Amino acid sequence: MIGSNDSLNERPIGIFDSGIGGLTVFKEIRMVLPHEHLIYLGDTARVPYGTKSPEVIRKYSEINMRFLLARGVKVVVVACNTASAAAIDHLKEQFSDIAVLGVITPVVSSLATLDRVRKIGIIGTATTIRSGAYQRCIRETMTVEVLAQPCPLFVPLVEEGLLDHPLTRQAIAHYLGDLKKAEIDTLILGCTHYPLLAGPLDDYFEHRVRIMDSAYHVARELKRMLTAAGSANSSEKTGSEQFFVTDSVESFRRTGELFLERPLTDIEHV
Ligand code: DGL
């Protein structure tokens, strides 16, 4: 549980995703909280979560939580939209003695503070969109029009490193034609892989749409939570980083370096 005391404050922050996408959240957390120790778990053996049922995702998410708890984390960030959409309430209930932060609420809360938000497009995996989690969260927070669109090809395109590629531009046009026609003013990237496509998405909408990426907002909400609870690490030293993956270390390293834009060390297979 988050709470103030010296040894607790030095405990690491746990972050999990179905694979590599959560590194976009990891990167922001590292930027905003440079002195925290971070443990990242990528469930690469079971990725993608985005095509699986909520029941299966809840089961995998529970296993990920137990793994991180066994490493003494003080808080867990569910750095996966699909797991946040399908499992966050379940995880909060099952692990009530630890703070669990998902990626949906922080971005929606930030959106609610902005002017001129009238028509929001949400894109994500099939399971995220089907769950209705974003749609519910937005409707509970503000009165706007919401259009949701699953984009199942985006994750494999990003995993292949095809970020600025004709195939990716074709997929964007294929999925997002209706949102463009509807003249949305805001687009929520409801998948942790999608920030890597922010450039081509911005081009597609001719730079007229506000693109919201959950990573930035999650990292700031995490900092706010730790500060409010007095449980931030007060050390002046740079925090350590450990990465765990359930499949190949080498392929995680290769694509991970694309996400983090720096070399990745200390990756262990579990
Ligand atoms: N990282 C996942 C998300 O944010 C997408 C990848 C997957 O389908 O597992 O939804």
Side-chain angles (χ1 to χ4, degrees):
M1 185 190 292
I2 289 198
S4 182
N5 98 37
D6 282 350
S7 63
L8 178 64
N9 294 10
E10 282 163 24
R11 284 159 67 174
I13 293 169
I15 303 165
F16 81 80
D17 177 42
S18 55
I20 211 115
L23 288 177
T24 53
V25 178
F26 178 97
K27 191 177 173 186
E28 285 291 333
I29 293 176
R30 173 44 81 225
M31 215 131 73
V32 169
L33 296 164
H35 309 302
E36 296 290 343
H37 303 303
L38 305 180
I39 298 183
Y40 182 92
L41 170 64
D43 191 9
T44 48
R46 291 165 168 153
V47 73
Y49 282 12
T51 52
K52 298 193 171 73
S53 70
E55 294 72 29
V56 166
I57 293 161
R58 283 198 275 277
K59 199 169 82 187
Y60 292 168
S61 300
E62 256 190 53
I63 297 169
N64 297 339
M65 284 290 295
R66 288 190 209 288
F67 176 87
L68 292 170
L69 290 178
R71 273 150 191 84
V73 298
K74 59 183 173 186
V75 54
V76 174
V77 179
V78 181
C80 174
N81 285 267
T82 310
S84 296
I88 199 79
D89 292 340
H90 174 76
L91 295 178
K92 285 184 176 171
E93 220 175 271
Q94 292 290 307
F95 302 92
S96 52
D97 52 351
I98 180 133
V100 183
L101 179 64
V103 287
I104 295 177
T105 317
V107 68
V108 174
S109 304
S110 300
L111 201 50
T113 65
L114 302 179
D115 291 333
R116 292 191 301 278
V117 181
R118 292 189 187 95
K119 209 182 267 189
I120 301 176
I122 307 159
I123 54 174
T125 66
T127 301
T128 297
I129 299 302
R130 213 180 299 126
S131 76
Y134 266 104
Q135 296 91 316
R136 263 195 311 280
C137 189
I138 291 171
R139 288 197 178 108
E140 280 164 14
T141 320
M142 56 191 133
T143 311
V144 287
E145 201 175 323
V146 181
L147 291 95
Q149 174 65 48
C151 304
L153 285 175
F154 285 5
V155 167
L157 286 166
V158 170
E159 294 272 341
E160 286 297 317
L162 302 177
L163 306 182
D164 193 5
H165 190 277
L167 278 177
T168 306
R169 292 185 188 272
Q170 260 182 359
I172 289 174
H174 170 71
Y175 289 128
L176 302 185
D178 286 348
L179 299 194
K180 191 172 182 176
K181 240 185 272 158
E183 298 187 346
I184 55 164
D185 50 63
T186 304
L187 179 71
I188 300 183
L189 307 185
C191 173
T192 50
H193 279 69
Y194 297 179
L196 277 86
L197 302 180
L201 285 167
D202 192 31
D203 290 345
Y204 180 70
F205 285 101
E206 295 159 18
H207 319 289
R208 291 201 190 118
V209 166
R210 176 193 293 114
I211 295 182
M212 300 283 285
D213 155 9
S214 55
Y216 173 90
H217 304 281
V218 172
R220 273 143 197 88
E221 173 60 14
L222 177 63
K223 183 175 182 178
R224 195 202 57 73
M225 274 167 69
L226 292 173
T227 309
S231 58
N233 192 334
S234 54
S235 162
E236 292 294 304
K237 286 195 230 141
T238 304
S240 62
E241 297 177 358
Q242 270 181 298
F243 300 91
F244 294 94
V245 288
T246 52
D247 201 347
S248 157
V249 166
E250 255 333 291
S251 84
F252 182 85
R253 190 195 311 281
R254 247 193 337 270
T255 322
E257 291 181 351
L258 198 69
F259 274 72
L260 288 187
E261 298 172 294
R262 63 173 161 91
L264 265 184
T265 52
D266 208 354
I267 311 172
E268 206 178 299
H269 176 261
V270 287

